């Protein structure tokens, strides 16, 4: 990988991991459109590590409180402070964890075609638009702290759909949260918290594959990729949460529709 490829793909990962536009779709398609060779498993692990560091640091106060209260809830056997939100993150991760273990090979072999990405980009983009319109009709939108067990399970099941490239993990979890009456910021914050165990699990599996296959690793490329993805992801989270209530989801819906249409034009018939 040359420096330009490292910089572009790392920043692309950092920006798209938390926006509702699908990071996996961009990391699959951009190298193909640019004529670059596949960036390799080691680099993917590095940039995902960068995004993990970014979300952990951004939500460090919430994570410390959730961890403290979750531990106390285990000892006291009752709800304590933010323990409910911690349990929500754990419960919401189970469906995607199971789906990932069962379907990882099938997804990687059968569902990475540009046309599948095009249709999922368009379809889930339209669903995001419907959810955002619904959110504006809710008189008293709820925060992530008011999720019911049913909400959590269904958001977790929706998250499993993000194994299909083009769906967008953040996009589908925000969509489901908005449909269940969460505020935009509440849906986004819960989506970002849900990303933490998912990135850990996905990165862990990829790291195991990397060790087993004994890949040659360029440590300088990995370090640069991790750093750039962390910086761009942190900035993305900050700006997204700051501007979300003002601009809504429409810009991302329009982007998804345009991207999907472009992919259909480029790859139709292939």
């Amino acid at each position: 990988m040359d420096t330009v490829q490292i910089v572009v793909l790392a920043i692309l990962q950092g920006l798209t991991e938390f926006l509702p536009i699908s990071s996996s779709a961009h990391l699959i398609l951009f190298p193909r459109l640019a004529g670059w060779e596949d960036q390799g498993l080691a680099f993917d692990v590095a940039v995902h590590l960068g995004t993990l560091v970014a979300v952990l640091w951004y939500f460090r106060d919430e994570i410390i409180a959730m961890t403290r209260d979750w531990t106390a809830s285990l000892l006291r056997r009752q709800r304590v402070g933010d323990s409910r939100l911690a349990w929500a993150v754990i419960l919401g991760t189970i469906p995607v964890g199971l789906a990932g273990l069962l379907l990882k090979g099938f997804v990687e072999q059968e569902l990475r075609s540009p046309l599948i990405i095009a249709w999922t980009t368009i379809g889930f983009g339209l669903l995001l638009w419907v959810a955002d319109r619904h959110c504006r009709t809710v008189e008293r939108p709820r925060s992530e702290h008011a999720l019911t067990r049913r909400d959590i399970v269904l958001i977790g099941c929706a998250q499993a759909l993000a194994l299909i490239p083009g769906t967008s993990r953040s996009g589908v979890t925000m969509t489901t949260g908005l449909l269940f009456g969460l505020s935009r910021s509440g849906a986004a914050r819960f989506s970002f918290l849900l990303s933490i165990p998912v990135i850990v699990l996905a990165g862990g599996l990829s790291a195991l594959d990397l060790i087993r296959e004994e890949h040659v690793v360029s440590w300088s490329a990995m370090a640069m990729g991790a750093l750039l993805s962390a910086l761009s992801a942190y900035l993305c989270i900050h700006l997204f949460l700051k501007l979300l209530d003002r601009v809504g989801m429409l810009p991302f819906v329009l982007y998804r529709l345009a991207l999907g249409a472009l992919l259909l034009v480029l790859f139709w018939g292939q």
Side-chain angles (χ1 to χ4, degrees), residues 153-210:
V153 171
L154 292 177
I155 291 173
C157 290
Q159 183 173 225
L161 294 174
L163 292 171
I164 306 171
T167 301
S168 172
R169 190 211 59 82
S170 58
V172 76
T173 50
M174 290 182 205
T175 296
T176 312
L178 291 172
L179 289 173
F180 289 160
L182 292 186
S183 65
R184 287 170 175 159
S185 59
R189 292 175 67 86
F190 186 59
S191 173
F192 294 156
L193 291 172
L194 276 177
S195 75
I196 296 170
V198 171
I199 296 174
V200 170
L201 291 172
L205 288 175
S206 297
L208 288 175
D209 291 340
L210 191 64

Side-chain angles (χ1 to χ4, degrees), residues 3 6-8 10-11 14 47 50 223-234:
T3 303
I6 293 170
V7 171
V8 170
I11 293 176
V47 294
M224 183 184 296
L227 177 61
L228 290 174
S229 66
L231 293 174
S232 57
Y234 186 92

